[in-house]
Amino acid sequence: MAKKVEEKIEELEEKTLEQDVNEEMVKIDEEISKLTEENKVLTEKVKLAQAELINYRRRKDEETANILKFANQDLILELLPVVDNFERALESNSESSKFTEGVNLIYQNLMNILTKSGVEVINRVGEVFDPTQEQALVTDCIEDMEDEVVIEVLAKGYKLKGRVIRPASVKINQK
């Protein structure tokens, strides 16, 4: 009988040991699941941070490119009144003198420099008025012309590399 009791004790010890091992395995499985989920969360956070960094770099590169592209804008805006004065001087003096030829050469050189810098004149006579490129100062009523069409440019407008830096002042048709 002592043998049976010993066998029963051994059986109970084995069952208890198996239960302890099973409980420990469950705990380990739970810990593995928890760590796996935490790993997924942290991996997603890293991916998000990398995407944000890439977007930040792209935005900064675009801003830098725009700054470089339009760096001359202030200088060009200061030169435009000089261009206007040259044009007025050329229009007012119709004599063909050496002085007029010299002023005309200076004007042409200045316009060539501005053109090389990406400046273009806004001249939309005969086209429909565009408030993003022009400002209407005067209206006129011409019956045989469509409504909202630019009749005359009163002061030239200019674009720098596609961006309007000074809108044209125009006269438009309104019926």
Side-chain angles (χ1 to χ4, degrees):
M1 188 160 188
K3 222 177 190 185
K4 280 189 178 185
V5 172
E6 282 181 23
E7 286 176 7
K8 283 275 188 193
I9 291 175
E10 280 181 26
E11 257 181 60
L12 285 175
E13 285 177 351
E14 282 179 21
K15 283 184 181 178
T16 306
L17 188 59
E18 275 183 39
Q19 283 178 342
D20 289 347
V21 168
N22 285 339
E23 287 175 10
E24 204 53 42
M25 289 295 287
V26 168
K27 287 180 184 178
I28 289 173
D29 284 344
E30 288 174 358
E31 187 69 23
I32 288 173
S33 296
K34 180 181 170 188
L35 290 174
T36 302
E37 188 61 35
E38 191 176 315
N39 186 10
K40 285 180 185 177
V41 169
L42 292 175
T43 302
E44 288 301 315
K45 284 184 180 181
V46 167
K47 287 179 181 178
L48 181 62
Q50 286 174 336
E52 286 177 359
L53 180 61
I54 290 168
N55 288 336
Y56 172 78
R57 284 184 182 160
R58 183 185 45 77
R59 281 192 311 272
K60 279 300 178 192
D61 289 346
E62 287 173 4
E63 286 176 15
T64 303
N66 270 341
I67 289 170
L68 292 174
K69 185 176 180 181
F70 297 105
N72 300 347
Q73 182 172 336
D74 292 337
L75 173 65
I76 290 169
L77 281 171
E78 288 186 37
L79 285 175
L80 291 179
V82 175
V83 170
D84 293 340
N85 290 333
F86 268 116
E87 289 173 346
R88 284 188 205 103
L90 290 170
E91 288 172 6
S92 68
N93 190 354
S94 60
E95 294 178 18
S96 178
S97 69
K98 294 288 183 189
F99 177 75
T100 305
E101 289 176 29
V103 170
N104 194 23
L105 283 173
I106 294 170
Y107 171 73
Q108 290 302 322
N109 286 339
L110 181 58
M111 289 308 294
N112 286 339
I113 290 168
L114 291 174
T115 301
K116 285 180 187 174
S117 297
V119 175
E120 51 188 293
V121 176
I122 299 172
N123 186 5
R124 298 176 23 85
V125 174
E127 296 181 36
V128 176
F129 173 72
D130 180 0
T132 63
Q133 298 187 52
E134 301 147 339
Q135 57 185 3
L137 298 182
V138 182
T139 61
D140 201 353
C141 183
I142 301 173
E143 291 299 323
D144 60 338
M145 191 177 269
E146 289 184 36
D147 202 24
E148 299 289 319
V149 172
V150 176
I151 301 170
E152 180 184 349
V153 174
L154 305 172
K156 288 183 179 178
Y158 295 91
K159 291 181 186 180
L160 174 61
K161 297 180 182 178
R163 178 194 287 177
V164 175
I165 59 174
R166 185 174 90 179
S169 298
V170 298
K171 177 194 272 188
I172 63 169
N173 190 44
Q174 269 193 331
K175 296 179 184 178

